[in-house]
Amino acid sequence: MNIVIMGPPGVGKGTQAEAIMAERHVAYIATGTILRGAVQEGNELGLQVAALMAAGELVPDHLMMEIIKERLLRPDARDGWLLDGFPRTAPQADGLLALLDGIGQRIDRVLVLDAPDDEIVRRLGGRLTCRACGHVTNLQRVGGPPTACSTCGKDALYTRDDDSEETIRRRLEVFRERTWPAAERLGERSALVRIDGRGTPAEVKQRIAGVL
Ligand SMILES: [Zn+2]
């Protein structure tokens, strides 16, 4: 089964992607991971990506398409794949559909994971990062604000700028404006299923299992 998973930052997409992969044995195609891996390996693609990042530029769509195509054609993706992190815009969605047509593949399910902004803000805003060791404490899990890091014991916890409410709400707004049109495009050609991302990871996992 070929699956595309989409959802705003903080909705728990990564956790669910791991669960799907473990149960269905599909190849996991996460564009962020592929790019980071290429940069670390220092291969030809990595050098191109590193140069773009150093110049503060985004990886252009045509390059992303090439990367995805190459990945989709590898043997481990033959029995199914799970694409995470792409497409993010309507033109990317059109590009992906054309690419799939070209290699004779199709998307079986588009999983759209979402939760109300307030819940996502609560989840992401409830994170404290340790200045000393980098450990991230999830306030919802520990129940009440801790004063010291549970890993190194230092009193060095702070809220990262990325986790401030204003930043999170802006990121969500940008995401919904740009990425939901991409989901709709894919939904015109494949079964699109909306999944309620509220509740515990286990509850969300159950909902996803019910539609795959
Ligand atoms: Zn620490």
Side-chain angles (χ1 to χ4, degrees), residues 18-78:
E18 274 175 33
I20 295 169
M21 232 184 2
E23 275 181 18
R24 308 198 65 94
H25 307 289
V26 288
Y28 184 44
I29 303 178
T31 50
T33 309
I34 295 174
L35 292 177
R36 276 193 300 276
V39 171
Q40 269 171 6
E41 279 174 32
N43 59 29
E44 196 192 325
L45 166 68
L47 293 176
Q48 281 187 61
V49 173
L52 288 165
M53 283 175 7
E57 283 170 39
L58 294 171
V59 177
D61 287 356
H62 69 88
L63 189 55
M64 284 306 300
M65 296 300 171
E66 261 178 65
I67 292 165
I68 291 167
K69 182 176 175 183
E70 189 269 334
R71 186 65 189 83
L72 289 175
L73 291 172
R74 281 199 219 163
D76 69 326
R78 210 178 293 148

